[in-house]
Amino acid sequence: MKIAVDGPSGAGKSTLSKDIAKTLGIVYIDTGAMYRAAALACLRAGISIKEEPERAVEAVKACTIDLSNEKDGQHIFLNSEDVTTLIRTPEISMGASAVSAIPEVRLVLVDLQRDLAKTRDVIMDGRDIGTYVLPDAPIKIFLTATPETRAQRRFIELTEKGMKCDYETVLAELKERDYNDSTRAFSPLKPAEDSVLVDTSALTYEESLQKLLSIIKERMC
Ligand code: DC
């Protein structure tokens, strides 16, 4: 079973995908975490990603990025160091958006993603899973919500983690990432033609989860 879940940030992809994976007993793969780890590798090497894309490619090719599934969810390792928590900052979010626009970086990470999906049943979330990484996935969902709803969710999430932020900045950065992710030349964020579009703006978490589970069940039959 391959389930592709794409959409802009803050639409609820990762939380919903994690719960769906648990319910169906399949593996959850968060591909955004891989771009975040790649961004961390670049930032640690002092690379200004937008100005120095060649150096960014070298840094990504020189590092190892691995995923493991633990009891508390997916963990991501950069050169064997567990960076699961470190990659969840606004600075890394912007870096990931920048590094993900570089085609050579995408090719390296897409290979890894396809390898991970080859031998197991997965629900994989990202921006180009249905269009590029797993174009033959029988179930494709494009999850979205208004920028304001998504920014509000992200603001609450960051505040709960104890990070200082304000709603207007979160909204502005989210819009900038939406723009970067959907206008890049190679493999931009867009719904696959055969995906089911789900807008979660007016839905509670539980309603969104039930909706996705019913879409999946319908498509599995
Ligand atoms: O889902 P996320 O916010 O953790 O993703 C971080 C960035 O990585 C996002 O701005 C776009 C990029 N990304 C991508 O281009 N393709 C993917 N399959 C997953 C993420």
Side-chain angles (χ1 to χ4, degrees):
M1 186 194 299
K2 311 278 178 241
I3 304 174
V5 180
D6 290 302
S9 62
K13 297 186 303 292
S14 55
T15 339
L16 287 163
S17 299
K18 237 181 263 172
D19 278 348
I20 291 168
K22 242 189 238 160
T23 308
L24 301 180
I26 61 176
V27 176
Y28 165 58
I29 298 172
D30 168 10
T31 62
M34 299 166 107
Y35 289 95
R36 287 171 180 271
L40 180 61
C42 293
L43 296 181
R44 279 181 170 174
I47 297 166
S48 166
I49 299 169
K50 278 192 178 157
E51 278 79 46
E52 304 173 290
E54 294 87 0
R55 281 189 70 205
V57 173
E58 288 312 311
V60 174
K61 285 187 175 167
C63 71
T64 59
I65 294 173
D66 299 297
L67 297 180
S68 80
N69 273 287
E70 312 289 337
K71 274 200 188 110
D72 62 346
Q74 177 188 274
H75 281 237
I76 180 126
F77 298 84
L78 175 62
N79 298 323
S80 305
E81 175 193 348
D82 189 339
V83 295
T84 310
T85 318
L86 278 181
I87 56 169
R88 299 288 158 195
T89 65
E91 188 194 11
I92 297 290
S93 296
M94 294 308 286
S97 188
V99 88
S100 70
I102 305 172
E104 292 91 330
V105 168
R106 298 200 71 81
L107 292 176
V108 171
L109 297 187
V110 166
D111 271 353
L112 275 174
Q113 292 156 13
R114 287 183 178 152
D115 263 1
L116 288 168
K118 212 181 265 173
T119 52
R120 58 202 110 192
D121 291 336
V122 296
I123 177 163
M124 189 177 271
D125 91 39
R127 303 294 189 286
D128 60 339
I129 309 305
T131 53
Y132 190 78
V133 180
L134 303 175
D136 298 328
I139 305 170
K140 297 180 185 178
I141 293 164
F142 193 86
L143 210 59
T144 189
T146 63
E148 289 73 19
T149 310
R150 294 187 281 118
Q152 184 64 29
R153 291 175 186 160
R154 189 48 49 95
F155 172 72
I156 292 170
E157 191 186 314
L158 291 171
T159 311
E160 279 175 358
K161 280 185 189 161
M163 286 183 209
K164 269 207 173 133
C165 59
D166 66 277
Y167 169 78
E168 290 306 328
T169 309
V170 173
L171 177 62
E173 288 187 355
L174 182 136
K175 284 184 174 172
E176 189 181 337
R177 281 215 285 151
D178 280 0
Y179 179 79
N180 289 345
D181 296 345
S182 52
T183 58
R184 67 176 175 235
F186 184 63
S187 215
L189 165 68
K190 65 169 183 203
E193 276 175 15
D194 50 350
S195 64
V196 182
L197 210 90
V198 178
D199 188 326
T200 64
S201 306
L203 302 181
T204 63
Y205 181 75
E206 197 49 39
E207 286 168 343
S208 306
L209 181 61
Q210 290 314 321
K211 186 162 183 117
L212 295 199
L213 284 171
S214 76
I215 292 168
I216 292 166
K217 273 190 198 136
E218 210 173 276
R219 296 241 157 172
M220 275 165 69
C221 294

